Amino acid sequence: MAEMGFVIAMSVMTLFWGIIGGVVPWFIPKGPNRGVIVTMLVLTAVCCYLFWLIAILAQLNPLFGPSLSTDVIWYLNYHWA
Amino acid sequence: MVFRSEEMCLAQLFLQSGSEYDCISELGELGLVEFRDLNPSVSSFQRRFVSEIKRCEEMERILGYLLREIQKTHIAVPEEDESPLAPLPRQVLEIMEQLQRLEMELSEVARNKEKLQRNLLELTEYTHMLKITRTFIHSRSRHEALGPQYEEFPTMETDSVSGCTGMQRLGAKLGFVSGLIQRVKVEAFERMLWRVCKGYTILSYAEVDENLTDLDTGEISKSVVFLISFWGDQIGQKVQKICDCYHCHLYPHPENDEERADVLDSLRTRIQDLNNVLHRTEEYLRQVLQKASQSAFSWVVQVKKMKAIYHILNLCSFDVTNKCLIAEVWCPVSDLANLRGALEEGARKGDATVPSFVNRIPSSDTPPTLLRTNKFTSGFQSIVEAYGVGDYREVSPAPYTIITFPFLFAVMFGDLGHGIVMSLFALWMVLTEKQQKKKRSSNEIWETFFSGRYIILMMGIFSIYTGLIYNDCFSKSLNIFGSAWSVKAMFTNQQWTNKTLQTNSLLTLDPNVTGVFTGPYPFGIDPIWNLAVNRLSFLNSYKMKMSVVIGVIHMSFGVVLSIFNHLHFQQKFNVYLLFLPELLFLLCLFGYLVFMIVYKWLVFGARDSSQAPSILIHFINMFVMQGKDLAPLYPGQTGLQIFLIVIAMLSVPVMLLGKPLYLYWLYRGGKGLRRRRGYERVRRVSEDDTSAAASYEDDDEEEGLDETPGREALPKEFDFGDVLLYQSIHTIEFCLGCISNTASYLRLWALSLAHAQLSEVLWGMVMRLGLRMTTRVGVVFLVPVFGLFAVLTVSILLVMEGLSAFLHALRLHWVEFQNKFYHGTGVKFLPFDFSLLPSVFEQDGLL
C-alpha cells in the first residue's frame, strides 16, 4: 500500500513534468520567441521536477520520527485517521 | 533574446550632401545602427555643424522659458501619441521665428504685468497707511480726553480746522512722516529713531492685517504702518535719512480728515481700475500660453530630434572630392537590408539625385554586443548586464536566468501565502502597465519595482510552487493528501498507552513500528512536521542536502555551457584541455557527494538508522584516504573513491599545464602540422588576459566574414610565461572555487530557514494573540491584530526578505554560475534611436 502510493506519485509527477519539458516544446509555433519559450519550458520542468524529487526522496526512508507533545498526540489520535 | 549576441558588421554609409539630413532622420526613427566618431581629434567647437547646434540650443532655451511659464499658469501640455518627425531645414526657420516671437511677446507681457503689480502694491500700501494712521489720530484724541499722558506736546485733535495753530503758538513746526516698514525691522527702527532724535519724535505704529508681497524679493511679509510726528527741520531731515536707510515706503500724510477721505476715495477707484487691467493682462497671457501649449510638445520633440541629427552629422567625415558625407556604423548583419531601405527612403525624401549607399567593410575592432529583448526578457537581460555586458558573440546566460533566477529565489523564499501576495502584486503591475507607463512617475523606487514586474511575477509563481513543496503557508502547513504518519498506529501496537501520555510531555513516533509511517507524502513535506518539536532537525538535513544537490547541478550546467563558447570561437583544444578536466574535477568530487546523498536517502532507513553513516565524514575520509574503521556504504566504496580522487587529482595538472604547453607547441613546432591541416583559427576576440589574447590571437582582418574560415596570419609573439600565469590563476580559482561555491549554495538553506522562522514568529507573536481571545471582544480585537500582522508581513517578510533573497539569488548567478563560463567584458550596442534619447525637459519635470 505504501509502495503503491509512492509509485503513483512518482509516475504522475514524472509524466507531468516530462510532458511539459519534453512534449510541449515541439508544439510551440515558430516565431522569434520560440527559442526562449522552449528554454523556459525545459528549464521549468527540470527545476520543478528536481525539487519535488528531492523532497520525496528525503522522506522515503525517514531515520527518525516527529516528536510531538502529548496534547498534539491526543488530538491527532482522535481526529486523524 | 537568443543564445548568443548577434553578428555585427562595420559599414560605411556614403550620404549625398543634399539628403544626409533626411537619411540620418530615417535612421534615427528606426534605431538600427550605432555611429562611430570619425573626428575624434576635433573639439566640439570646431565641428562642421556647430552653428546649427547652437541654433537648436537657442530654441531649446526659448522652449524651456515657454514651458516654465506654461507650468506657472497650470496649463497642461497635451501630448501626442505619435512623435513628429524631425523638421526639414526650411521648417526650422519657421519654428525659430515663431518661438522668438512668442518669447518677445511673453517677456513684454510679463514686464507690463510686473509694473502693474508694483503700482497696485503702492496704492494698496497707501490705502492701508491712510486707514491706520486715521486710527492713530483718533485714538490719540480719545486718549487726550482721558487724562494726562506722556506726551509733552499738545496734539492735533483740535487742529483739524485750525491747522498747525497749536504748534505755531509754540513757534515750532510739527511735521509728519508716514509710511510702511517691514515688521522685522520695526524695533531696530524705533531704537534708532530714539537714539538719533533724542526723544524729539513720536513713533506710533500698527501692523497691517493683510500680507503684502514685497515685489523685489518676492516674499510675503508682514508690514507695519508707522507715523512719526516730529518738529524741527533738522529732525525732519534725520528722520528722512533713517527711513531711507531702513527701506521704508513713504507716503504723504494728509493734513486733515477731508483730505484723507478724498485721497482714500481716489485711491479706491484707482485700485479698482488697476485690478481690472491686471485681470485682463493675465487673461491675455493665459490665452497666449494656451495657444502655445498646443504645439509645445511637438516643438520640443522636433528640436530634440534635430539636435540629435546634427550631433550625428558632426561625427561623420566630409569627403570633399565626392561631395558626400561618410559615416561609419556598427550594424547587425540581419539588419543590413533594412539599413539600405532606410537610406533609400531618406534619399527619396531629400530629393537627392544620387542615392546614398552602404558599403560593408572589414574591421578588426571588437563589435559591440547586441541582444534583442522584448518587454518580458528585458528585465532579466538587465540583471545579467548589471554584472557585465557579454563579449561579442559569447553565450548569454540570460535565457536560462529567466527560469533559474526566480527558481533559486523561490527556494529561499518558499512560502505559499507570501508567494500568492507577491504574484498578485506583480500581476496588477503587469495588467495595468499601459497606464503606469503613461504616468511616468518620478519615484525611483517605484520605477525600479515597475521595470522588474515580470521578474517579480515569475518569482511569485515559483514561490507558490516551492511553498507547496515546503508545505508552508504563512507558517502553517496544508494537509491535502493526508499525513503519512499515523499516531493511532503507536497506540494500536501497544507502544503507547494513556499512561504514557500522562507521564510524558513529549513522545517521538517510531517509524520502525508497523503502520506508523505509511510512505512518503506524495507532494512536498509531510504536514505532521509542522506540529513536531524536532521539526528543524528533519528540515535542516533535508534543506542542506537539497542546497548541495541544486548547487552542484547548477554549477555543472555552467561548466557545460562553456563548451559552446569554445566551439564557437573555434578553440577545440579548449574542450579537451579546459572543459573536460573542469567537468571531471567537479563531478568526481561533488558529483560523487550528490551520489552519496541520494544513495543514503534510498538505502538507509529506519531499520538501520543507528548505523546510518554521516556523509560528511565519509567525504572527508575520501580526501584523506583513511577511514578503514568505518563501515562502507556499499561494497567497493574504497576502490571507487580512490579512483575518483586519482582522476580529480590528475585533471588539475592537465588544467594547469595543458593549454600553455599545447599553445607553445603550436607556436613553435606545430607549424608544419598547421599547414597540413590547413587552417586552425585561434581567434578569440576578447579574453580576460589581454596580453595572452594578443599573443596567440590571430590578427583577424576579416571580421565581417565571421563564419567562413580562412587562412590565418602568423601569430604575434607568444609569451609562454603570461599564458602559464593566466592558466594557473584560472586553475587555482576553479579548484578552490568548486569547494567554496558548493558551500556557498548552502545559503539556499540558510535563507529559507530564516524566512520560515520569521514567519512562524510573526504568526505566534501577533496573530495567535488575536485568535486566542475567546470572548466577544476578541472579534473586535482581531481587526487591529490582523492589521498589524498584515503590515508586518508585507514590510518584513515580503519586502525585506524578498529583497534579501533577490540579492542572494543574484549573487549565486553572478558568481557561482557565471564564473564557470561567462566573461562579461563586452561593450553594449547603443543604437542611434530618437526614442532612446532623453529629453532635457522631461528630466526637469516640465513636460
Side-chain angles (χ1 to χ4, degrees):
Chain A
M1 221 25 233
E3 288 299 313
M4 191 63 168
F6 176 64
V7 167
I8 291 179
M10 192 63 155
S11 30
V12 165
M13 287 301 270
T14 313
L15 204 63
F16 177 69
W17 290 117
I19 290 179
I20 288 189
V23 177
V24 176
W26 295 108
F27 293 101
I28 304 292
K30 278 201 188 356
N33 294 325
R34 183 167 197 256
V36 179
I37 296 181
V38 165
T39 312
M40 282 172 66
L41 283 170
V42 171
L43 272 174
T44 311
V46 168
C47 289
C48 293
Y49 180 65
L50 181 72
F51 197 62
W52 169 83
L53 190 67
I54 294 174
I56 201 168
L57 287 182
Q59 297 181 100
L60 194 55
N61 298 314
L63 294 171
F64 58 90
S67 294
L68 305 166
S69 74
T70 31
D71 296 327
V72 175
I73 293 179
W74 189 90
Y75 178 87
L76 292 182
N77 196 13
Y78 282 96
H79 286 267
W80 279 9
Chain B
M1 184 195 300
V2 291
F3 190 50
R4 59 173 90 247
S5 64
E6 288 204 16
E7 200 185 336
M8 308 284 276
C9 66
L10 192 63
Q12 265 182 334
L13 307 177
F14 291 88
L15 306 166
Q16 291 309 104
S17 299
S19 60
E20 84 267 12
Y21 185 87
D22 299 286
C23 291
I24 307 268
S25 166
E26 268 302 306
L27 288 177
E29 293 290 329
L30 292 172
L32 287 173
V33 297
E34 181 181 346
F35 282 86
R36 279 173 75 166
D37 191 358
L38 289 173
N39 312 314
S41 50
V42 180
S43 85
S44 41
F45 295 106
Q46 295 167 334
R47 299 203 185 224
R48 261 193 92 210
F49 295 92
V50 166
S51 51
E52 277 86 353
I53 293 189
K54 279 201 191 134
R55 202 158 23 132
C56 294
E57 292 200 342
E58 172 69 19
M59 282 199 273
E60 271 186 350
R61 184 191 62 80
I62 300 180
L63 275 170
Y65 171 64
L66 182 66
L67 285 172
R68 263 188 294 272
E69 291 298 312
I70 291 180
Q71 206 182 39
K72 259 193 242 173
T73 52
H74 304 290
I75 300 178
V77 178
E79 280 186 18
E80 290 151 42
D81 288 324
E82 276 182 42
S83 46
L85 297 173
L88 302 165
R90 49 181 175 275
Q91 287 174 347
V92 170
L93 287 171
E94 270 177 39
I95 300 180
M96 183 83 177
E97 246 179 85
Q98 272 181 318
L99 283 174
Q100 276 169 338
R101 227 182 327 125
L102 259 176
E103 187 193 14
M104 256 186 358
E105 224 179 304
L106 278 175
S107 48
E108 213 184 292
V109 171
R111 249 186 321 218
N112 284 345
K113 191 166 147 198
E114 202 196 339
K115 243 191 294 178
L116 289 171
Q117 273 174 337
R118 210 177 276 273
N119 223 344
L120 183 66
L121 181 72
E122 278 176 14
L123 295 178
T124 327
E125 282 183 348
Y126 199 0
T127 322
H128 281 297
M129 186 221 80
L130 288 175
K131 284 194 205 145
I132 291 177
T133 47
R134 184 164 170 271
T135 51
F136 287 163
I137 309 293
H138 287 276
S139 71
R140 266 194 223 175
S141 67
R142 268 197 299 269
H143 280 158
E144 266 288 307
L146 291 172
Q149 297 173 66
Y150 61 91
E151 289 165 43
E152 300 173 22
F153 303 96
T155 51
M156 292 183 14
E157 82 292 5
T158 50
D159 295 340
S160 38
V161 177
S162 50
C164 311
T165 28
M167 297 306 104
Q168 281 167 350
R169 264 185 264 128
L170 286 177
K173 206 164 52 169
L174 187 63
F176 293 94
V177 169
S178 55
L180 277 90
I181 186 178
Q182 279 191 346
R183 174 82 182 74
V184 294
K185 298 185 188 168
V186 158
E187 282 89 10
F189 185 55
E190 196 175 358
R191 239 174 295 145
M192 177 70 81
L193 267 181
W194 179 258
R195 281 198 208 126
V196 171
C197 306
K198 298 183 186 58
Y200 283 82
T201 59
I202 298 171
L203 169 73
S204 352
Y205 59 86
E207 217 170 282
V208 176
D209 289 328
E210 198 185 318
N211 280 349
L212 298 170
T213 321
D214 185 348
L215 274 175
D216 291 323
T217 55
E219 354 172 297
I220 300 180
S221 54
K222 286 241 169 219
S223 299
V224 163
V225 169
F226 64 87
L227 174 69
I228 304 177
S229 30
F230 62 89
W231 74 100
D233 257 340
Q234 286 179 336
I235 303 268
Q237 283 168 7
K238 284 189 195 160
V239 167
Q240 279 280 13
K241 284 213 191 97
I242 296 175
C243 288
D244 280 340
C245 168
Y246 277 87
H247 301 292
C248 309
H249 300 170
L250 296 177
Y251 298 102
H253 190 257
E255 297 285 320
N256 48 32
D257 273 341
E258 276 134 19
E259 202 184 322
R260 187 192 301 270
D262 284 336
V263 175
L264 264 175
D265 271 334
S266 71
L267 278 180
R268 209 176 302 134
T269 44
R270 275 173 70 191
I271 288 180
Q272 241 182 350
D273 286 337
L274 255 182
N275 269 330
N276 273 339
V277 174
L278 253 176
H279 191 67
R280 248 179 264 141
T281 315
E282 277 179 7
E283 276 288 317
Y284 176 67
L285 186 65
R286 208 185 159 77
Q287 263 182 350
V288 169
L289 285 176
Q290 187 89 26
K291 203 164 137 259
S293 73
Q294 304 289 333
S295 17
F297 178 72
S298 65
W299 282 337
V300 166
V301 173
Q302 283 177 319
V303 170
K304 175 182 99 167
K305 287 190 180 176
M306 199 162 54
K307 195 166 153 197
I309 295 179
Y310 281 119
H311 269 300
I312 294 292
L313 283 174
N314 273 337
L315 298 178
C316 309
S317 74
F318 189 63
D319 186 6
V320 195
T321 53
N322 297 352
K323 283 207 213 126
C324 66
L325 255 71
I326 302 181
E328 256 185 36
V329 296
W330 287 112
C331 181
V333 170
S334 50
D335 269 340
L336 272 177
N338 291 342
L339 179 60
R340 288 202 183 91
L343 284 181
E344 276 168 17
E345 181 75 17
R348 191 183 58 81
K349 278 194 189 157
D351 301 323
T353 46
V354 183
S356 319
F357 58 93
V358 182
N359 181 29
R360 189 169 158 178
I361 56 177
S363 156
S364 60
D365 294 334
T366 316
T369 314
L370 169 67
L371 278 157
R372 292 193 207 266
T373 56
N374 54 30
K375 66 181 178 184
F376 177 71
T377 54
S378 63
F380 299 99
Q381 180 66 29
S382 65
I383 61 178
V384 168
E385 273 175 10
Y387 173 79
V389 177
D391 291 348
Y392 178 62
R393 299 291 272 168
E394 184 180 40
V395 167
S396 161
Y400 319 106
T401 307
I402 301 181
I403 294 293
T404 54
F405 175 76
F407 176 67
L408 288 183
F409 172 89
V411 170
M412 292 191 265
F413 196 68
D415 189 303
L416 176 64
H418 300 153
I420 291 179
V421 175
M422 189 180 264
S423 315
L424 286 177
F425 171 61
L427 200 62
W428 168 75
M429 278 200 288
V430 168
L431 291 176
T432 58
E433 65 183 4
K434 286 212 176 72
Q435 292 107 294
Q436 302 286 357
K437 275 204 187 134
K438 277 203 193 129
K439 254 198 269 176
R440 236 181 304 153
S441 134
S442 56
N443 188 349
E444 261 192 55
I445 297 182
W446 166 252
E447 285 292 311
T448 313
F449 275 107
F450 181 69
S451 58
R453 59 195 179 280
Y454 286 105
I455 306 180
I456 301 180
L457 183 61
M458 297 294 285
M459 295 188 327
I461 294 176
F462 272 97
S463 299
I464 295 179
Y465 182 77
T466 55
L468 279 171
I469 301 258
Y470 283 153
N471 218 344
D472 194 358
C473 175
F474 294 115
S475 82
K476 295 287 142 203
S477 283
L478 304 171
N479 191 358
I480 307 177
F481 299 98
S483 173
W485 293 83
S486 166
V487 172
K488 266 209 169 65
M490 289 297 276
F491 284 94
T492 52
N493 282 337
Q494 267 97 46
Q495 295 285 327
W496 293 346
T497 55
N498 282 337
K499 191 149 176 291
T500 352
L501 280 186
Q502 282 160 10
T503 44
N504 293 315
S505 59
L506 267 176
L507 290 168
T508 308
L509 278 91
D510 187 356
N512 275 322
V513 176
T514 32
V516 173
F517 177 64
T518 54
Y521 192 69
F523 190 77
I525 301 289
D526 201 297
I528 199 162
W529 289 107
N530 200 301
L531 306 167
V533 172
N534 62 347
R535 171 173 181 237
L536 286 180
S537 307
F538 171 71
L539 280 184
N540 283 347
S541 154
Y542 154 66
K543 283 184 182 172
M544 279 201 259
K545 292 177 179 168
M546 167 203 74
S547 311
V548 171
V549 171
I550 291 181
V552 172
I553 294 179
H554 200 210
M555 286 196 291
S556 318
F557 180 49
V559 175
V560 165
L561 279 180
S562 70
I563 280 196
F564 298 102
N565 273 340
H566 298 319
L567 288 178
H568 173 80
F569 293 112
Q570 304 195 317
Q571 294 172 311
K572 210 155 164 223
F573 61 91
N574 264 345
V575 175
Y576 303 111
L577 297 173
L578 216 55
F579 162 74
L580 212 53
E582 280 180 0
L583 195 65
L584 279 176
F585 186 83
L586 184 62
L587 288 182
C588 284
L589 296 179
F590 297 97
Y592 179 65
L593 178 63
V594 171
F595 164 73
M596 279 209 284
I597 291 176
V598 178
Y599 183 82
K600 183 176 171 185
W601 275 341
L602 291 174
V603 169
F604 286 87
R607 304 239 167 256
D608 31 12
S609 62
S610 52
Q611 297 133 7
S614 159
I615 293 189
L616 210 51
I617 300 205
H618 277 264
F619 193 58
I620 295 175
N621 283 340
M622 175 167 108
F623 277 101
V624 297
M625 300 220 214
Q626 275 175 8
K628 296 196 184 74
D629 319 323
L630 288 176
L633 285 175
Y634 50 87
Q637 182 190 10
T638 16
L640 181 65
Q641 281 181 182
I642 293 179
F643 174 63
L644 290 175
I645 288 277
V646 164
I647 291 190
M649 291 302 146
L650 280 181
S651 48
V652 175
V654 174
M655 245 195 286
L656 181 63
L657 298 169
K659 187 162 151 188
L661 286 178
Y662 176 75
L663 291 172
Y664 183 72
W665 172 77
L666 259 190
Y667 180 69
R668 284 294 166 78
K671 277 195 197 155
L673 269 160
R674 247 193 302 165
R675 249 180 265 128
R676 234 180 290 151
R677 242 182 272 173
Y679 39 77
E680 178 158 348
R681 272 160 149 245
V682 285
R683 172 185 55 89
R684 167 89 166 174
V685 189
S686 58
E687 282 218 343
D688 292 351
D689 190 344
T690 50
S691 60
S695 57
Y696 65 83
E697 168 187 24
D698 282 340
D699 205 3
D700 186 21
E701 261 86 60
E702 282 134 37
E703 172 71 19
L705 310 170
D706 195 317
E707 302 309 307
T708 62
R711 299 226 168 243
E712 87 288 14
L714 287 172
K716 295 191 214 122
E717 296 176 24
F718 174 68
D719 191 348
F720 182 72
D722 258 339
V723 177
L724 186 63
L725 184 67
Y726 170 72
Q727 199 53 37
S728 56
I729 292 176
H730 179 89
T731 306
I732 295 174
E733 202 185 324
F734 183 83
C735 297
L736 293 182
C738 266
I739 305 171
S740 79
N741 291 349
T742 309
S744 181
Y745 275 94
L746 284 172
R747 71 188 67 222
L748 294 174
W749 157 62
L751 263 97
S752 109
L753 177 69
H755 189 93
Q757 292 297 98
L758 268 176
S759 185
E760 208 175 299
V761 160
L762 202 57
W763 177 272
M765 300 266 162
V766 179
M767 202 62 187
R768 261 179 74 200
L769 297 181
L771 290 171
R772 276 217 152 142
M773 297 189 69
T774 46
T775 63
R776 289 218 189 108
V777 180
V779 176
V780 178
F781 187 57
L782 194 57
V783 176
V785 164
F786 176 72
L788 186 63
F789 175 73
V791 164
L792 287 175
T793 298
V794 168
S795 62
I796 297 181
L797 285 172
L798 283 177
V799 172
M800 189 187 85
E801 276 287 314
L803 284 173
S804 167
F806 181 96
L807 183 75
H808 284 283
L810 200 59
R811 176 249 154 75
L812 281 178
H813 274 77
W814 282 355
V815 178
E816 275 78 17
F817 176 58
Q818 284 178 207
N819 75 358
K820 303 283 181 291
F821 70 98
Y822 189 62
H823 289 265
T825 51
V827 175
K828 193 168 170 167
F829 177 70
L830 294 168
F832 172 60
D833 192 345
F834 288 135
S835 54
L836 295 177
L837 293 172
S839 167
V840 181
F841 302 118
E842 268 174 45
Q843 284 164 351
D844 289 337
L846 287 174
L847 206 56

